[in-house]
């Protein structure tokens, strides 16, 4: 009987070790953090960084972590969250979302609008994909249910105004 209780107790603890933590990002201060990159920095493998609607003017880098970064679309399947949760380059930044440290298919970006990335001084280099909105280099993440729009160079189209897989 004692062994049965021990086994039952272990069985109840397994979900705690199999599922990661949810880190909430909300600009109004009610979440764990107010910007996405702080959530990524504090996430461990398998965690989810859940981002509430807002306009996030920042560059995010998965820094080699196999985590999920997602809008509320992930939990609600409400597509309005995709247009309401924006990673914005503010016409100043590029490579707004970066996968460049060997992230696997367990690294997931789900349910964002990625927009207004801009590189005014880009020089064409055929050996280097620029990647304004999303830049993937030597990684294989899942990028799903995102709108990648209005990302551009000051010159005519160079490589990867929206997304580059290098």
């Amino acid at each position: 009987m004692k062994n049965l209780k021990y086994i039952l107790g272990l069985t109840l603890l397994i979900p705690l070790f199999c599922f990661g933590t949810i880190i909430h990002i909300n600009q109004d201060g009610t979440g764990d953090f107010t910007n996405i990159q702080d959530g990524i920095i504090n996430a461990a493998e398998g965690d989810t960084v859940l981002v509430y609607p807002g306009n996030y003017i920042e560059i995010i880098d998965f820094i080699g972590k196999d985590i999920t970064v997602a809008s509320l679309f992930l939990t609600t399947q409400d597509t309005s969250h995709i247009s309401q949760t924006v990673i914005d380059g503010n016409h100043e930044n590029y490579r707004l979302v970066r996968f460049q440290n060997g992230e696997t298919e367990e690294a997931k970006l789900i349910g964002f609008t990625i927009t207004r990335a801009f590189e005014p001084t880009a020089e064409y280099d055929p050996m280097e994909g620029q990647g304004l909105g999303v830049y993937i280099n030597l990684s294989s993440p899942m990028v799903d249910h995102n709108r990648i729009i209005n990302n551009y160079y000051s010159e005519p189209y160079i490589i990867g105004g929206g997304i580059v897989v290098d």
Side-chain angles (χ1 to χ4, degrees), residues 36-37 40-41 57-69 87-89 92-104 107-109 112 114 117-120 128-143 146 148 153 162-166:
I36 302 167
Q37 189 63 41
I40 292 170
I41 289 168
I57 299 175
E58 61 181 297
I59 294 169
I60 66 169
D61 189 327
F62 275 62
I63 56 177
K65 295 184 178 183
D66 287 336
I67 59 174
T68 297
V69 177
I87 299 172
D88 188 341
E92 296 175 357
N93 299 306
Y94 69 104
R95 292 184 180 170
L96 300 181
V97 179
R98 299 173 182 185
F99 300 95
Q100 55 191 2
N101 295 290
E103 294 87 357
T104 72
K108 300 172 184 165
L109 180 72
F112 291 92
I114 300 161
F118 180 66
E119 173 49 85
E128 179 182 351
Q130 298 297 323
L132 287 176
V134 177
Y135 178 68
I136 302 170
N137 183 17
L138 301 174
S139 299
S140 56
M142 182 181 81
V143 178
N146 295 284
I148 304 171
Y153 290 95
I163 187 168
V164 159
V165 180
D166 226 358

Side-chain angles (χ1 to χ4, degrees), residues 2-166:
K2 187 175 183 179
N3 285 340
L4 182 60
K5 287 181 183 178
Y6 179 72
I7 291 171
L8 181 59
L10 284 177
T11 304
L12 294 174
L13 289 176
I14 288 173
L16 294 176
F17 297 109
C18 292
F19 301 106
T21 301
I22 297 176
I23 298 170
H24 297 270
I25 309 300
N26 200 336
Q27 291 177 324
D28 69 6
T30 60
D32 299 307
F33 299 98
T34 57
N35 67 61
I36 302 167
Q37 189 63 41
D38 284 346
I40 292 170
I41 289 168
N42 288 281
E45 296 290 318
D47 285 353
T48 298
V49 177
L50 189 62
V51 183
Y52 287 73
N55 193 49
Y56 296 85
I57 299 175
E58 61 181 297
I59 294 169
I60 66 169
D61 189 327
F62 275 62
I63 56 177
K65 295 184 178 183
D66 287 336
I67 59 174
T68 297
V69 177
S71 72
L72 294 180
F73 170 78
L74 179 70
T75 58
T76 66
Q77 298 299 294
D78 180 348
T79 57
S80 71
H81 289 297
I82 296 170
S83 61
Q84 295 171 4
T85 314
V86 179
I87 299 172
D88 188 341
N90 200 32
H91 295 295
E92 296 175 357
N93 299 306
Y94 69 104
R95 292 184 180 170
L96 300 181
V97 179
R98 299 173 182 185
F99 300 95
Q100 55 191 2
N101 295 290
E103 294 87 357
T104 72
E105 64 276 357
E106 295 303 315
K108 300 172 184 165
L109 180 72
I110 303 171
F112 291 92
T113 293
I114 300 161
T115 190
R116 299 188 339 141
F118 180 66
E119 173 49 85
T121 60
E123 293 185 25
Y124 180 72
D125 180 349
M127 298 307 291
E128 179 182 351
Q130 298 297 323
L132 287 176
V134 177
Y135 178 68
I136 302 170
N137 183 17
L138 301 174
S139 299
S140 56
M142 182 181 81
V143 178
D144 191 31
H145 284 89
N146 295 284
R147 292 177 61 224
I148 304 171
I149 60 170
N150 299 326
N151 300 290
Y152 53 90
Y153 290 95
S154 60
E155 299 297 319
Y157 180 76
I158 299 179
I159 298 174
I163 187 168
V164 159
V165 180
D166 226 358

